Amino acid sequence: MTKNKVVTIGREFGSGGHEIGNLLATRLDIPLYDNNLVRMVADRLDIREETAQAVDETTLNSFLTGFVLSPIEYSKAMNNEEYTKPLSEQVYELQSEIIRKLAGRGSCVVVGRCADFVLKDVADCLNVFICADIDDRVKRIAKRYDMSEKKAADKIKKIDRERRYYYESRTGLYWGDIDSHQMLLNASRLGIEGTVDILEAVYKMK
């Protein structure tokens, strides 16, 4: 479909996935798309960035929307031409559209947002999932957010759960599973730089 090379990075919270994506994009001199995708979506939907961020990579808001009405009322609403999709669905669909356009425009690194699934028809797309040992993840999040390790562990559990639901509900695949991703890399074992070294080498081989 395109000669552009794209790297998509799924990641456990606190694994260093954003840092790895940023360093890889810098080395390869190509754009990184991560939180800036939320800003693009907010601009297109004419909503506050904080509002778009609230439903980014989570299905919880759309799940609850279905239970504000009774099952029968919700079913009728879904079949009504005037029905407005939950904001989470609007964000996901627009974000996916933007990701496809950006990937068609040039080589890039995309972090999260089911980008591997969104770009499944792109031949030159390297799909990787970054994980890390829980102790390392807890220490990284505790330091980043200046919180206790207990609170960091709770935050990791919550965000990982949301990311898993978000990914699996939209793709039908298992988040972080070898059957869902081309490569699984443990940043604790390889180190941030070592993980980037591997991805850079594979990228240049494609």
Side-chain angles (χ1 to χ4, degrees), residues 3-205:
K3 293 184 179 180
N4 299 330
K5 295 181 181 180
V6 181
V7 180
T8 67
I9 298 178
R11 74 282 185 231
E12 292 180 327
F13 185 59
S15 64
H18 173 81
E19 184 180 350
I20 289 166
N22 190 43
L23 184 54
L24 178 65
T26 299
R27 284 196 196 178
L28 298 174
D29 194 26
I30 58 178
L32 169 73
Y33 300 113
D34 190 352
N35 292 328
N36 47 358
L37 287 167
V38 178
R39 290 193 290 273
M40 295 178 197
V41 168
D43 288 343
R44 288 277 297 275
L45 291 177
D46 194 24
I47 59 176
R48 292 170 59 86
E49 185 177 334
E50 293 83 358
T51 303
Q53 187 72 51
V55 297
D56 183 45
E57 291 197 289
T58 175
T59 61
L60 298 184
N61 286 9
S62 60
F63 176 79
L64 291 173
T65 299
F67 291 90
V68 173
L69 303 175
S70 69
I72 294 177
E73 290 172 328
Y74 186 62
S75 177
K76 289 180 178 178
M78 289 292 288
N79 294 319
N80 190 324
E81 292 181 0
E82 297 181 358
Y83 170 72
T84 300
K85 291 182 181 178
L87 181 60
S88 55
E89 293 302 317
Q90 295 181 54
V91 168
Y92 173 74
E93 291 177 5
L94 181 53
Q95 198 162 241
S96 298
E97 177 189 330
I98 290 172
I99 288 171
R100 282 188 286 267
K101 287 182 178 178
L102 292 172
R105 187 179 300 169
S107 298
C108 58
V109 176
V110 186
V111 178
R113 284 81 191 177
C114 299
D116 58 313
F117 182 76
V118 172
L119 300 176
K120 63 183 184 297
D121 295 325
V122 176
D124 286 329
C125 182
L126 174 62
N127 159 19
V128 61
F129 188 88
I130 305 296
C131 61
D133 296 348
I134 188 61
D135 288 347
D136 291 340
R137 296 166 62 198
V138 167
K139 290 176 182 176
R140 179 179 284 112
I141 294 305
K143 181 178 180 180
R144 182 190 302 172
Y145 294 98
D146 190 23
M147 60 174 55
S148 69
E149 291 194 355
K150 171 140 188 350
K151 287 186 177 180
D154 290 341
K155 187 177 183 69
I156 286 170
K157 193 175 297 185
K158 175 180 180 293
I159 293 182
D160 273 357
R161 182 174 65 247
E162 291 178 351
R163 287 180 178 177
R164 179 183 298 277
Y165 290 164
Y166 179 89
Y167 183 86
E168 295 183 358
S169 66
R170 285 169 168 77
T171 69
L173 303 172
Y174 292 107
W175 183 73
D177 190 271
I178 189 59
D179 291 330
S180 306
H181 308 279
Q182 295 169 355
M183 297 177 65
L184 300 183
L185 298 176
N186 188 319
S188 291
R189 311 301 171 86
L190 299 168
I192 297 296
E193 293 278 352
T195 302
V196 176
D197 288 342
I198 291 173
L199 293 176
E200 181 180 13
V202 174
Y203 178 92
K204 291 180 176 178
M205 286 170 53

